[in-house]
């Protein structure tokens, strides 16, 4: 099990890292601004809960295999980058009718779809895999035993705080998007901005930078 000091130190570091601008933050922000508050929250929660897959990989040791295999890492990187570019192209092709005014009447499945898109986008990010591989073990105390359990609990704690922070980001981004979407053609331009963000992140991932 984790001690109080161990968990507190981990959460402080995890929150600081999660709050630092990065690909996930920008994706949630872009989604919330272009689609609306509920959509931003759904996508943000998905991104946060996507960390569960990385926790599982860290626990069973698959992350170590990916880090040690250039072929596996390159394949995962290309899949992740291609997926982000695909999301960006979809947004760039939008006519702007998917803005806040329209999404309020969207079926619940659309929110579920965005949730799983966020989860998948996070789960296939090879940099997050490597991050978990290097970050979680720093807070494991071998002398306490049950290393796998410690890794699992730390990963779960990271997932919870990430889901909360990303959900809040989606909430406030949605508020901004709702205000802007009342302006003429704002929905169209917001979709263009979100699409550019996704394509840019995908290209950056493919370039290895």
């Amino acid at each position: 099990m984790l001690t109080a000091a161990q968990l507190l130190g981990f959460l402080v570091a995890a929150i600081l890292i999660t709050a630092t601008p990065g690909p996930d933050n920008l994706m949630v922000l872009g989604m919330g601004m272009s689609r609306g508050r509920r959509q931003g929250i759904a996508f943000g929660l998905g991104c946060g809960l996507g960390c569960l897959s990385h926790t599982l990989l860290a626990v069973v040791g698959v992350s170590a295999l990916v880090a040690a295999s250039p072929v596996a890492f390159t394949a995962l990187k290309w899949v992740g980058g291609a997926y982000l570019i695909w999301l960006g192209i979809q947004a760039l092709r939008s006519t702007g009718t998917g803005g806040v005014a329209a999404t309020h009447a969207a079926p619940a499945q659309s929110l579920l779809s965005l949730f799983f898109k966020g989860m998948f986008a996070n789960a296939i990010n090879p940099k997050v895999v490597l991050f978990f591989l290097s970050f979680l073990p720093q807070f494991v105390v071998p002398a306490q035993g049950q290393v796998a359990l410690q890794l699992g609990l730390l990963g779960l704690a990271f997932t919870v705080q990430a889901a909360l922070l990303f959900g809040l980001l989606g909430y406030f981004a949605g508020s901004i998007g709702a205000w802007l979407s009342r302006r003429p053609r704002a929905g169209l331009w917001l979709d263009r901005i979100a699409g550019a963000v996704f394509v840019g992140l995908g290209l950056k991932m493919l370039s290895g930078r």
Side-chain angles (χ1 to χ4, degrees):
M1 299 297 291
L2 305 177
T3 65
Q6 182 183 11
L7 180 59
L8 179 60
F10 174 80
L11 285 176
V12 170
I15 291 173
L16 289 175
I17 290 173
T18 304
T20 301
D24 287 339
N25 308 62
L26 293 178
M27 286 191 294
V28 175
L29 182 62
M31 183 64 69
M33 291 185 64
S34 65
R35 296 298 179 182
R37 177 179 295 172
R38 294 191 304 160
Q39 286 70 20
I41 293 174
F43 189 83
L45 290 176
C47 280
L49 291 178
C51 294
L52 289 176
S53 64
H54 305 305
T55 298
L56 179 60
L57 290 176
V59 171
V60 301
V62 176
S63 293
L65 175 63
V66 174
S69 172
V71 175
F73 177 75
T74 300
L76 189 58
K77 180 174 66 174
W78 276 82
V79 170
Y83 179 70
L84 291 179
I85 292 174
W86 179 81
L87 290 178
I89 292 174
Q90 294 297 108
L92 290 172
R93 294 177 60 187
S94 170
T95 60
T97 57
V100 175
T103 54
H104 285 316
Q109 180 63 31
S110 63
L111 297 180
L112 187 62
S113 175
L114 287 173
F115 173 83
F116 283 114
K117 282 184 178 180
M119 180 178 289
F120 185 63
N122 180 283
I124 64 175
N125 189 337
K127 293 185 178 180
V128 182
V129 176
L130 298 180
F131 166 76
F132 266 65
L133 179 65
S134 60
F135 182 67
L136 294 186
Q138 296 182 28
F139 294 87
V140 172
V141 181
Q144 295 177 190
Q146 297 182 303
V147 172
L149 178 59
Q150 290 186 58
L151 283 171
L153 292 176
L154 290 172
L156 181 61
F158 190 96
T159 298
V160 171
Q161 65 84 30
L164 289 175
L165 289 182
F166 286 153
L168 287 174
L169 178 61
Y171 177 87
F172 289 110
S175 298
I176 297 173
W179 181 81
L180 292 174
S181 65
R182 290 193 292 268
R183 276 62 182 174
R185 298 179 61 83
L188 175 63
W189 284 106
L190 287 171
D191 276 336
R192 297 295 182 267
I193 293 172
V197 169
F198 278 108
V199 172
L201 291 173
L203 292 174
K204 183 178 180 182
M205 186 176 292
L206 291 179
S207 68
R209 297 177 181 177

